[in-house]
Amino acid sequence: MRYSNPVIKGFYPDPSVCKVEDTYYLVCSSMQYFPGVPLFESKDLINWKQIGHCLTRASQIQLDQVNSSGGVFAPTIRHDNGRFYMTTTNDTTRQNFYVWTDDIYGEWSEPIFVDQQGIDPDLYFENGKTFFMSNGKDDFNIDGIVQCEIDIRTGRKITPSRTIWTGTGGRFLEAPHMYKINNKYYLVAAEGGTEFGHMVTYACGDSIHGPFKSYPHNPVLTNRNMGGYHIQAVGHGDLIEDNNGHWWMLHLGFRQSGQWLPYHHLGREVFLTPVTFGDDGWFTAGDNGVTRTFFETDRIPTAVVQQDKQRYTFENTNWDKDWCFLRLPHKQNYSLEQNQITLKGTEISLDQADSPTFIGIRQKDFNVSISCNVNLTIGESGITIYMDEHHHYDLAIRYDGGVYKLIERINIGDVKTIMNEIALEGSNHATLIIRSSNERYTFLAHTNDKEILLGTAQTKYLSSEVAGGFTGVIIGLYAYGKDSLAEFTKFNLEYL
């Protein structure tokens, strides 16, 4: 069959995967968004269904006033002796921790912290022992991939943290994962930074402690030399074996806006690439070490059909799975019903690294039409195309000097301005409409039986190449201002 990449679209970076019986489970980073660490399941590796989050309580993760692209970094999911474990880093507090559950559809435990530096932690279980890895400095001040043995019940270190591999010389050695395959230990990592030079590298050894010999043809997977190609920044991969003995890698990458438009605003996404082991024990990945938009494979039955949801509404989404908040939400300001949202604004704006009244859903493709009916009582409410507190485009209704107005606001770094405003004629409601292509957002409103064009803005100013950071565009519904109150109905997000 032929499948297309990415297999999970939109801002879902740093994937990690495990398999229990015939089901695969996958987690991703969530940064400053809450709930934290989206959790997916699949039967075939290409169709993924979100089943929840790992961090659903304020007691599990400190997100108060963290800057964008702070918070929850690079999780790993593993299963041992009937129990699931998810380990991750709160990069803002510089703490590594893990949580666990015996019910993958239920709640996860309170965090258990591990006293080891670095980010991108990994857990490896063998013969009743648990090994914890991250990048950074070990207890002897040596940089690299760092490992210690821990007591899985408490997180207490049993052995000192020691560097077991220093990579191949690429910058930002990170994302370590350990596997035992055919009595050999494989240490997979990422180098080059999670940008256009990103790559997957690995090494092999006879002991979990090393020494590790680098694969002679590293990097095993990278698109760094594919100038103008749709998929870039391939790296940060996790290996998984399917039920038929075939190996795969789930990894991140991003889709740039166009062949000669080296910008990405949808975020880092989840890609699936075939892996093949040779007789010499080394493995290769992808199409001669490259990840493609499409792969033809006989590893997945032809009866499997890759699904691609095209339309999202209030009615066909789940508030606890598909939607997210900025940092820890003030729940009293949200009324979430099956077909309507009521938002109460505060004096916290979208321009602050705080928790404005905001609920969002990830943008998953370039070409999309978004519409929603907004009924405002007072203050300001609307739709935001949100990258971070310094980079977002807002289409809203605002109560100003006794008059309701439609506004289009552009926020790009230090440039923050209302590009257009139009008075609503005797009304406090309108249908707000945003249409997107690879290169541009278009802002419109429908009121009094006519459609009004307010303006356009380029997508590239919401890209990581301009804004910085590690997130992607979130389509948000928001309310702002003391005593602000608004109702949102007939939300429709449709990919074209």
Side-chain angles (χ1 to χ4, degrees), residues 308-313 315-317 491-495:
D308 194 6
K309 187 173 179 178
Q310 297 296 315
R311 186 167 177 260
Y312 296 77
T313 66
E315 292 80 6
N316 75 3
T317 54
F491 176 82
N492 187 73
L493 186 160
E494 192 161 3
Y495 293 102

Side-chain angles (χ1 to χ4, degrees), residues 40-310:
F40 295 83
E41 73 173 7
S42 175
K43 294 289 188 178
D44 55 29
L45 290 171
I46 60 170
N47 292 299
W48 293 90
K49 176 185 177 182
Q50 188 168 353
I51 59 174
H53 294 81
C54 298
L55 304 176
T56 57
R57 304 184 300 277
S59 59
Q60 293 172 304
I61 184 65
Q62 198 293 103
L63 292 178
D64 291 333
Q65 297 184 331
V66 304
N67 289 327
S68 288
S69 294
V72 179
F73 274 32
T76 295
I77 187 169
R78 293 294 183 257
H79 182 265
D80 181 64
N81 197 28
R83 178 166 288 179
F84 290 91
Y85 296 87
M86 188 283 298
T87 182
T88 188
T89 307
N90 185 336
D91 188 63
T92 300
T93 62
R94 306 303 292 182
Q95 290 176 300
N96 286 311
F97 67 93
Y98 57 91
V99 292
W100 57 266
T101 186
D102 295 327
D103 177 8
I104 195 67
Y105 304 104
E107 289 288 306
W108 293 67
S109 73
E110 290 298 299
I112 300 172
F113 295 93
V114 179
D115 184 19
Q116 181 165 288
Q117 296 183 25
I119 60 172
D120 300 1
D122 180 71
L123 287 171
Y124 176 79
F125 298 91
E126 184 175 80
N127 298 328
K129 295 183 177 181
T130 305
F131 298 90
F132 184 89
M133 290 197 308
S134 60
N135 78 340
K137 291 184 182 293
D138 68 9
D139 290 347
F140 308 94
N141 208 36
I142 300 172
D143 283 303
I145 300 302
V146 178
Q147 179 194 83
C148 67
E149 184 184 345
I150 64 170
D151 181 341
I152 193 62
R153 297 169 298 175
T154 65
R156 179 182 63 86
K157 286 170 59 174
I158 297 174
T159 64
S161 298
R162 295 182 182 275
T163 292
I164 58 173
W165 193 49
T166 56
T168 68
R171 64 177 181 164
F172 302 134
L173 176 63
E174 56 193 354
H177 292 304
M178 183 74 76
Y179 317 87
K180 189 176 184 180
I181 304 169
N182 297 327
N183 294 317
K184 295 281 188 179
Y185 292 89
Y186 291 82
L187 175 53
V188 174
E191 299 181 57
T194 185
E195 300 144 354
F196 285 88
H198 213 198
M199 53 186 172
V200 177
T201 60
Y202 77 98
C204 184
D206 294 321
S207 165
I208 193 172
H209 306 295
F212 288 94
K213 179 183 178 182
S214 296
Y215 172 52
H217 306 293
N218 273 322
V220 67
L221 186 68
T222 185
N223 283 26
R224 64 184 180 181
N225 293 323
M226 301 291 289
Y229 190 61
H230 191 47
I231 298 171
Q232 297 290 335
V234 166
H236 201 118
D238 200 1
L239 293 176
I240 193 71
E241 185 181 16
D242 68 21
N243 290 320
N244 297 312
H246 301 301
W247 286 88
W248 302 83
M249 186 181 293
L250 276 301
H251 59 87
L252 68 77
F254 61 68
R255 291 174 287 167
Q256 65 179 36
S257 299
Q259 183 176 7
W260 309 119
L261 292 170
Y263 303 95
H264 77 284
H265 62 282
L266 301 184
R268 297 170 299 154
E269 307 174 287
V270 180
F271 294 76
L272 177 69
T273 296
V275 167
T276 302
F277 277 83
D279 294 336
D280 57 1
W282 298 112
F283 67 81
T284 58
D287 178 10
N288 292 317
V290 168
T291 289
R292 295 293 183 183
T293 304
F294 298 97
F295 278 106
E296 297 276 358
T297 179
D298 60 2
R299 298 182 179 189
I300 299 173
T302 55
V304 174
V305 177
Q306 189 170 17
Q307 306 293 329
D308 194 6
K309 187 173 179 178
Q310 297 296 315

Side-chain angles (χ1 to χ4, degrees), residues 310-339:
Q310 297 296 315
R311 186 167 177 260
Y312 296 77
T313 66
F314 288 158
E315 292 80 6
N316 75 3
T317 54
N318 185 298
W319 300 122
D320 296 325
K321 297 172 185 176
D322 299 290
W323 296 79
C324 60
F325 303 94
L326 272 169
R327 304 169 186 89
L328 298 174
H330 305 289
K331 288 294 186 70
Q332 69 272 17
N333 295 326
Y334 301 82
S335 176
L336 309 178
E337 303 174 35
Q338 183 180 4
N339 58 3

Side-chain angles (χ1 to χ4, degrees), residues 348-471:
I348 301 172
S349 77
L350 296 173
D351 296 345
Q352 296 171 255
D354 208 324
S355 186
T357 302
F358 166 106
I359 184 168
I361 191 168
R362 289 156 171 84
Q363 183 176 344
K364 298 176 184 290
D365 260 319
F366 295 106
N367 298 312
V368 62
S369 176
I370 309 150
S371 64
C372 191
N373 290 357
V374 180
N375 190 317
L376 177 68
T377 301
I378 196 170
E380 174 184 316
S381 290
I383 307 174
T384 180
I385 305 298
Y386 185 92
M387 183 60 164
D388 62 30
E389 56 264 26
H390 304 297
H391 301 83
H392 54 92
Y393 300 152
D394 311 326
L395 177 63
I397 302 174
R398 186 171 69 172
Y399 185 69
D400 184 13
V403 178
Y404 291 96
K405 298 179 179 179
L406 293 167
I407 65 167
E408 177 212 359
R409 182 190 293 113
I410 301 297
N411 291 261
I412 305 170
D414 293 330
V415 179
K416 303 178 187 297
T417 185
I418 293 177
M419 301 294 290
N420 198 0
E421 62 180 12
I422 299 171
L424 281 169
E425 299 173 5
S427 178
N428 66 341
H429 64 272
T431 300
L432 303 182
I433 304 165
I434 301 175
R435 299 187 180 119
S436 173
S437 66
N438 291 48
E439 299 183 39
R440 192 168 290 274
Y441 291 101
T442 301
F443 304 94
L444 311 102
H446 190 274
T447 180
N448 295 325
D449 296 322
K450 60 183 178 181
E451 190 169 273
I452 302 168
L453 173 65
L454 281 91
T456 70
Q458 294 181 66
T459 60
K460 72 178 182 179
Y461 294 115
L462 301 186
S463 69
S464 292
E465 287 72 32
V466 173
F470 309 116
T471 60

